[in-house]
Each structure stands twice: as structure tokens, then as C-alpha cells.
Amino acid sequence: MMEKYPVKILLAFNESINGNEKIWDWLLNNGFPELAALSKAIRGSEEAPKWLINNGFPQLAALDAAIHEDQKAYEWLKKHNFNLLIILADASRGKEEAIAWFNERDLKIFSMMALQIKTYMDGQTFDYHKIHF
């Protein structure tokens, strides 16, 4: 699912994870509200995962939850064959084999994304009160 986006859109998504509100607003208003919502979900929004589920993107809500180590969400992704999202969740938690998988397939944009997510997550100390799968 994430592989369908052009690289420049994924780069913009990375910037929004980093807190760039101007890029986040651009994503929201230029046909990529699901990426804007995923960015906010990763950054701790409680409303964003609900929006993703209610607007046809449960796989992105599950990705967010899996990144935050929700095992049920991880299993849901497996059950529905969202393999790239599973690997992205693993890479975002620093699993070297997942990062290597992206690099071996010349999918470095996803390695960069995982690093951006991990860097953000490692800097956070708040509790997550997310939707549970």
C-alpha cells in the first residue's frame, strides 16, 4: 500500500513525521489526507487513528499501532497480508533484518522512513492511548 506513493510524497511524509506542519498541511490538502493522519497518529494523536479507520485506511491505523508495539495490530497486518507494513513496523522499532530487507530491495525510502519514525519515537516520553485492535 505504501509502495504506491511516489517517492517525493513519501519524502514529504517523512518531513511531516519530523514535525514540519507546512508539509503536513500540504499532504492534508493535496490528496494525501491518510498520510497526514498517519503522521499525526505516529506523533501521538488519539483522533488520527480513528480517522484512518473511519475513512478506509485501517491498515495505516494498524501500522501506527504496530509501530507502538501493539501485537494485535501486528497480527492484523499479517492476517491481511500487509507485508510491507509489517516490515516497516519492524524497521521503525530498529530491527536490523527489516532495515536490511528494504536496503537489499533498493527501497531505501522506507529505511529512511523507519529511521525517521524511530528517531521521533525514541525522543518521546508520553504514554500512548491508542485504539486497540
Side-chain angles (χ1 to χ4, degrees), residues 35-70:
L35 293 180
L38 177 58
S39 174
K40 289 292 185 181
I42 290 168
R43 294 179 60 81
S45 167
E46 293 178 30
E47 294 303 314
K50 293 174 189 172
W51 185 93
L52 288 166
I53 289 168
N54 292 334
N55 287 278
F57 300 97
Q59 69 276 21
L60 296 182
L63 170 62
D64 171 56
I67 288 168
H68 293 99
E69 300 187 29
D70 181 323

Side-chain angles (χ1 to χ4, degrees), residues 64-99:
D64 171 56
I67 288 168
H68 293 99
E69 300 187 29
D70 181 323
Q71 192 59 36
K72 287 182 182 177
Y74 192 86
E75 294 301 323
W76 187 92
L77 288 170
K78 276 186 179 180
K79 178 181 175 186
H80 292 89
N81 297 314
F82 287 107
N83 298 326
L84 186 108
L85 298 183
I86 292 166
I87 296 166
L88 182 57
D90 287 343
S92 298
R93 292 192 315 268
K95 292 189 177 181
E96 291 296 326
E97 61 275 8
I99 296 165

Side-chain angles (χ1 to χ4, degrees), residues 9-21:
I9 300 304
L10 295 175
L11 287 169
F13 172 68
N14 279 352
E15 282 298 310
S16 71
I17 293 168
N18 199 32
N20 186 326
E21 289 293 323

